[in-house]
Amino acid sequence: MTKTILDKIKAYKLEEIAADKVAKSLSDVEEEARAAAPVRPFANALTKAATAGYGLIAEVKKASPSKGLIRDDFEPATLAQAYEAGGASCLSVLTDTPSFQGAKDFLVRARAATSLPALRKDFMYDTYQVAEARALNADCILIIMASVSDTQAAELEAAAFEWGMDALIEVHDGPELDRAMTLKSPLIGVNNRNLKTFETTLDTTRELSKRVPDGRFLVSESGLNTPADLADMASYGARAFLIGESLMRQENVQEATKTLLKDPVLA
């Protein structure tokens, strides 16, 4: 069977985690996590913004496996400040290096430059990474249902809650959504990009939104480029969005963010 991009990412990520554990013990990471800055409420920031407009998780993203380098002029702190000034509710910061040219330090720098809560955007498989996320001052972690078992997902979520963080549960098809419903987090991210093929279609949110129950908060992710895209997704119940590439490619990130969030469809 041909390995997918997600399979390849998982293989090197597990090796990375093992190496990290040798380089720094869990007890040392947990000590750093306890000394980290207080958690900023991630889910609350999104739901509050969604009452009057849209909640935006603005992504600090240098590159991707499918598109390569997205932004050469890349300074996490400056970009984070531009997002905040443009009206973003939260940050998402890529910390994966091999596929996204991210770095753990990018998260530290971006969050320190703003008052926004920040998501550690990475491929999470081990609770060691959750403690590490808190040590990096993350306020939320990502749990990708396509890449973890139900047991792993539950362990990651429980660890996030123990550290006072939120968890964004990411799905891209019906079976993954059904599995996500066994978890406690209200934040359900529907990724319009299939992480196994990297094909993108907004039909993913259109279809899965019908199956997201009341009491869960729908976040549409990927493939969103214009105010019309956001209005379209809002008509299917998405009041928050995770957007990176389309904003990262703009010369003036602050103005591009303002323009994208202007004139929201009211709930």
Side-chain angles (χ1 to χ4, degrees):
M1 183 182 294
T2 303
K3 285 191 175 182
T4 66
I5 295 174
L6 189 57
D7 291 332
K8 294 174 183 176
I9 290 173
K10 182 175 182 178
Y12 76 67
K13 188 60 64 174
L14 292 177
E15 292 180 359
E16 206 175 86
I17 295 166
D20 285 346
K21 287 181 174 181
V22 171
K24 185 179 292 186
S25 70
L26 175 60
S27 60
D28 284 347
V29 172
E30 289 176 337
E31 185 177 349
E32 291 179 3
R34 286 189 288 270
V39 174
R40 298 170 182 169
F42 190 94
N44 285 354
L46 289 180
T47 54
K48 182 178 179 181
T51 60
Y54 297 143
L56 174 63
I57 307 171
E59 193 152 87
V60 179
K61 180 179 182 179
K62 186 174 183 179
S64 78
S66 58
K67 302 292 181 64
L69 184 66
I70 293 171
R71 189 181 186 93
D72 186 42
D73 172 22
F74 187 86
E75 170 43 55
T78 302
L79 292 167
Q81 289 170 340
Y83 278 144
E84 183 173 38
S89 309
C90 300
L91 299 173
S92 168
V93 185
L94 267 297
T95 58
D96 175 80
T97 302
S99 295
F100 292 89
Q101 296 183 37
K104 295 169 187 176
D105 184 56
F106 290 174
L107 173 57
V108 176
R109 288 155 59 188
R111 186 185 183 277
T114 75
S115 63
L116 300 180
L119 167 76
R120 180 186 184 182
K121 185 76 175 289
D122 212 318
F123 298 85
M124 311 291 278
Y125 298 100
D126 193 296
T127 54
Y128 178 96
Q129 294 171 284
V130 182
E132 185 180 55
R134 184 78 280 270
L136 296 170
N137 292 327
D139 307 290
C140 184
I141 64 162
L142 182 70
I143 300 175
I144 303 172
M145 297 305 294
S147 66
V148 295
S149 67
D150 290 350
T151 299
Q152 283 176 309
E155 289 174 349
L156 292 168
E157 182 186 59
F161 291 167
E162 285 174 10
W163 286 108
M165 294 187 289
D166 288 310
L168 175 60
I169 314 300
E170 182 176 290
V171 304
H172 84 280
D173 62 24
E176 289 174 12
L177 179 59
D178 291 340
R179 293 169 56 217
M181 290 303 99
T182 68
L183 299 172
K184 298 175 182 178
S185 174
L187 297 180
I188 302 297
V190 173
N191 196 343
N192 299 306
R193 178 174 294 115
N194 183 325
L195 290 181
K196 295 177 181 177
T197 65
F198 272 69
E199 295 174 353
T200 304
T201 172
L202 298 185
D203 284 338
T204 307
T205 292
R206 295 185 185 108
E207 291 302 316
L208 292 186
S209 64
K210 303 168 188 175
R211 300 176 52 180
V212 176
D214 292 342
R216 305 285 178 139
F217 186 81
L218 176 60
V219 180
S220 185
E221 307 173 9
S222 303
L224 302 162
N225 301 295
T226 67
D229 289 338
L230 272 56
D232 182 5
M233 295 298 95
S235 72
Y236 288 90
R239 300 301 307 173
F241 309 94
L242 192 155
I243 302 175
E245 184 180 334
S246 63
L247 293 173
M248 281 284 95
R249 291 190 183 278
Q250 303 303 312
E251 183 176 351
N252 190 323
V253 172
Q254 178 179 328
E255 287 305 314
T257 304
K258 281 184 180 179
T259 299
L260 191 66
L261 295 174
K262 187 171 62 176
D263 300 324
V265 173
L266 299 180

